[in-house]
Amino acid sequence: MYVSAPAVSIDKPIKELKAFVKTGLLSPGEEEEVRFRLSVADLASFVPDASAWIADAGIYTIQAGTSSEDIKQVTTFTLPENQVVTTVHNILNPTQPIDELKN
């Protein structure tokens, strides 16, 4: 399953592989149903200026196929607003000088 995301906060690839499944050995013409579950965390990218993993608002395209060059199904959905998945705390950047480091 490939996802194309809106490039709002940062530049993103045209499509990213977000999930895959290995099917059993199939005979010609035989089918096997597979299911994928996509979460907001799967859509998020790290935005350094915000120190957070954010899923940008906009239109996402989901593509399923046997490879990135052999897409069989395509659908879209809209994420109505930005979703902050995780915020990173800058614990390694002191807000005040540390005297021990000056020596």
Side-chain angles (χ1 to χ4, degrees):
M1 178 176 64
Y2 297 90
V3 175
S4 298
V8 177
S9 298
I10 60 172
D11 287 335
K12 297 183 183 183
I14 294 171
K15 58 180 141 185
E16 295 179 275
L17 178 65
K18 291 295 185 174
F20 68 94
V21 65
K22 203 169 186 178
T23 64
L25 184 60
L26 301 175
S27 300
E30 188 178 7
E31 296 179 359
E32 183 176 328
E33 182 177 312
V34 296
R35 293 176 185 239
F36 297 102
R37 183 167 294 211
L38 191 63
S39 71
V40 174
D42 295 322
L43 305 175
S45 296
F46 187 72
V47 180
D49 293 342
S51 293
W53 287 88
I54 299 174
D56 288 322
I59 298 171
Y60 287 78
T61 302
I62 307 298
Q63 302 174 7
T66 58
S67 74
S68 64
E69 299 296 320
D70 186 25
I71 300 299
K72 304 291 186 186
Q73 292 183 333
V74 177
T75 190
T76 62
F77 69 91
T78 301
L79 191 63
E81 58 187 31
N82 286 356
Q83 300 287 317
V84 177
V85 176
T86 305
T87 301
V88 178
H89 300 287
N90 292 323
I91 59 172
L92 297 178
N93 295 328
T95 56
Q96 297 179 359
I98 300 174
D99 291 333
E100 295 86 64
L101 295 178
K102 290 182 180 180
N103 295 331

